[in-house]
Amino acid sequence: MLVSAVAAVFGAVAFAVAAAGGVKGSAAETSAAYFTAWRAGNVDAMAGLVHEPPGDFRARHLSMSAQLGVESLELRPGTIKATGDETAEVPFSGSRTLETFGAWPFDSTLRLAVRNRQWKVLWTPETLHPLLKDGGTVEVVDFDGPPVELLTREGHKIPNNSYAESILARLRPELDEDNAGWALVAKAPGRPEQRVMTAEPKPDVERTTLSSSVQAAAARSLDGVEDSAIVVLRPATGEVLAVADRLEENYSAFHDLFPPGSTFKMITAAALMKAGLEPAAQVPCPATYSFPERRAFTNDGGADRGLVSFTDAFAYSCNTTFVEQALTRLQRQDLRETAHEWGFGRPMRTGAQGVCGIIEDPADADWFGSNAIGQGTVVASPLCMAAIAAAVQDGTWRSPRLLSDKQVRRIDGEPSPPVELDQGVVAKLREMMRAVVAHGTASGGGLPDGVSGKTGTAEVEGRRSHGWFVGYRDDLAFCVFVRHGGSGGSAAVPIATRFLKGL
């Protein structure tokens, strides 16, 4: 206590001597003014109290606040102490509230001295923060959290043998970006880097729309079938309940387009019915049909069915019927406009992106006839054709999605709005798709009761045809695609049967 009293008396005498010598102000006044200006963020006033402030004085203070996201600053000065006849110091504690990390407390010292007969602050970078001593820096950096674990809608882990990996891999970069952590890092020459504070990543799980049971059934239906895919949707919501993708050569069921073959007859049939052709109307189904002075179109196997109902022409997939009816009843834009109504030309905002289909106006009657049966200029993704089957079941076309509405909008942007379809046309298409399974090209494939669908065989020049089967049962719509697998009836229908019986 005696030593403290002596020091205090000595300090008081020293200050008095300085004042008597004509020194302007006092250490206490200068330090108090400096802390007041600092709290107010008045860097210019602070600089006026500093002896020979460095050229970057103002920039250092402002950039530190901006780069670290300083929301507020508290300063608590201690008792001023004399350290010589014309020197003093004020220990102080402070706390910066950082946007990312919260409160960041620190302790430092404000040093003062008489310069040019005035009390001035002797500023160094460690006055701002001790970590800035000797060329030190402090910055906010991000770091990778653990990879996001994608779960099913029920919260279950998605098995590694689900064949969904290629699609889910497109989700991870966006979701992993959300899973980054942040660290306040101090660096200085000759010292190891130091993490001062961290903001840990958010929980590393994300639920998809995939259903555990539906995904398992879809994956097992493709076991042993190379170069194939199945996409399953919930028609009422557009949610992707399953995607099993075994397509080779980096092809994707969501992102690549293929000629859809006779599955596109759903669109052509919708256009023809809008033009007045009724399902019960009698139409010819000859083995061969050609528009005058144009190429000849044939049925699979050269089948000649004579005069049949339009429903049966759809069920038996009569190419000649659809070419003739399209060429005589439709304008070229009719097919394109109907395809657009059912999703063609629209982006698929799934969260992993996606495309639907493309149809270009044909150059001549030959190409128009080819378009009518899903060849020519028509191409579509398996995702697209699953969405069309779902639209028949529900009566409304919806853009499919793999994540919540909120996440899809954040990652992919605003999805295409739902499109309510002509309910009369939809009801007739349902009858026609039932006929395909009851006695048409999908009959005899062992499909369970209640399935409606459409087969497709798409010719590929110089290669084996693609096999398609699209359909729905209850509140499940699906598309099976076997690249270069042969006919839809032989290649795709058995997969659909295994899938549906495996649910």
Side-chain angles (χ1 to χ4, degrees), residues 267-306:
I267 302 299
T268 308
L272 287 169
M273 288 189 285
K274 284 170 66 176
L277 184 59
E278 290 295 325
Q282 296 295 296
V283 291
C285 177
T288 302
Y289 171 81
S290 62
F291 206 58
E293 300 182 1
R294 293 293 179 179
R295 61 162 284 196
F297 292 88
T298 61
N299 290 328
D300 185 40
D304 184 343
R305 299 189 179 275

Side-chain angles (χ1 to χ4, degrees), residues 138-149:
V138 182
E139 59 186 288
V140 177
V141 300
D142 63 336
F143 61 89
D144 292 333
V148 170
E149 183 176 8

Side-chain angles (χ1 to χ4, degrees), residues 483-501:
R483 184 169 169 261
H484 303 307
S487 74
S490 64
V493 170
I495 293 173
T497 299
R498 287 198 298 274
F499 162 65
L500 293 167
K501 289 186 174 180

